[in-house]
Amino acid sequence: MHCLVTGAAGYIGSHTVRELLARGATRIVAVDSLERGHRRAIEALERLAPGKVRFARIDVRDRAAMSALMREERPESVLHFAALTLVGESVRQPAAYWSCSAGGTASLLEAMRDAGTERLVFSSTAATYGIPQSMPITEDTPQQPCNPYGSAKLACETMIAEEAEAARRDGRAFGAILLRYFNVAGCASDGSLGEDHDPETHLVPSALQAALGARPALEIFGTDYPTPDGTCIRDYVHVEDLASAHVDALRALRPRECRAFNVGIGHGFSVREVLDACERAVGRPIPANVAPRREGDPPELRSDPARIMRELGWSPRHRTLAPMVESAWRWMQANPRGYDDR
Ligand code: UFG
């Protein structure tokens, strides 16, 4: 396997590179602008597989640089993670999200065409479904995003599906798989990689930062939702299981087809259940305050992962919160300032 990975210095991108290497990748071209990604994540990957990782600091929107790199490397496949990923930020800066997601994907698809690279796995999101009428969410649930992050990701999905349609008409071999992630948590089990966002807004690292004293308390956004304990329910998937879904997708990818799959465990946990799991991992109570609802948060998001299990043979190794929060806690204790490379 010779793969080009965009966003390789980010949270999910770096964990997926590690999984690709563990499952036989011979060469990884790791592309990242380092605007949000971490040079130290790339260094960790270089240490895991000396000589197999080439890092290129490029913004995917730089079509000329991407084309030149792809023509030189001729990777068999591309995994495209590079994007901005904060829902709240996307509401404040929609154009930045469209530029990065849609602009980046358009540039990448053109560079792939230039180089004759025909296989793409795309990092999409459950945010493309918006606030669905019914649970669980299948791939046929209508996609009605309710924020610019989700709308721009949906535009990328459409663009990629249209490329596959064009390939069918033109007899090219281009094919793609779109993976719609639910909530991702945890860190590499060997402690080599972790989660480091600035600002950090995700639930698990925010709770653990409160445990560490790096923030005064976890804010629980809303306790008056129509759920059993009043807090929001999400479907959490371990980052290592998500990474392995990408390798399964690469193996199952077929020319001239564009298939979409949900990646979640099919079970929801409430904010309070996540906080309890974090307290168990940490071994002491975590300071937490009830705060108002966060705008745009649906009460429940839970996947039906039947299609990815059936068609790709994927199944999550972790179906409980403990391994996710324990691995995250180990990494945070060992790296209290994250990658500390800013
Ligand atoms: N939450 C809190 N306090 C916090 C942080 C989060 O109570 O400090 C709650 C949120 O209100 C939500 C849940 O914890 O109910 C999970 O919130 P996250 O911010 O961790 O994740 P989201 O569900 O908002 O979003 C995640 C990804 C998105 C993706 C979405 C798809 O971050 O990129 O899942 O379901 F679009």
Side-chain angles (χ1 to χ4, degrees), residues 85 87 125-127 149 181-183 201-203 206 218-221 232 234 236 271 294 297 301:
T85 60
V87 172
T125 168
Y149 170 63
Y181 313 157
F182 282 67
N183 288 61
T201 61
H202 296 99
L203 177 60
S206 298
L218 175 73
E219 291 193 298
I220 300 175
F221 296 142
C232 288
R234 295 287 181 273
Y236 294 86
V271 172
R294 189 171 66 178
D297 269 342
L301 291 173

Side-chain angles (χ1 to χ4, degrees), residues 103-126:
T105 300
S107 164
L108 178 69
L109 288 170
E110 291 189 292
M112 288 179 68
R113 222 185 237 242
D114 291 345
T117 301
E118 309 273 25
R119 296 159 54 80
L120 175 66
V121 177
F122 177 65
S123 173
S124 190
T125 168

Side-chain angles (χ1 to χ4, degrees), residues 6-20:
T6 76
Y11 172 46
I12 301 169
S14 61
H15 282 82
T16 301
V17 170
R18 177 174 169 273
E19 180 72 12
L20 285 162

Side-chain angles (χ1 to χ4, degrees), residues 59-135:
D59 187 313
V60 186
R61 288 168 289 189
D62 184 344
R63 155 106 187 264
M66 286 302 293
S67 274
L69 180 66
M70 294 198 42
R71 282 174 195 270
E72 184 193 338
E73 285 281 345
R74 304 263 171 210
E76 293 151 22
S77 315
V78 172
L79 295 98
H80 180 31
F81 298 91
L84 299 174
T85 60
L86 299 176
V87 172
E89 186 181 63
S90 81
V91 175
R92 294 188 300 277
Q93 303 173 39
Y97 273 68
W98 278 85
S99 166
C100 190
S101 274
T105 300
S107 164
L108 178 69
L109 288 170
E110 291 189 292
M112 288 179 68
R113 222 185 237 242
D114 291 345
T117 301
E118 309 273 25
R119 296 159 54 80
L120 175 66
V121 177
F122 177 65
S123 173
S124 190
T125 168
T128 59
Y129 294 113
I131 305 180
Q133 296 297 309
S134 62
M135 287 296 136

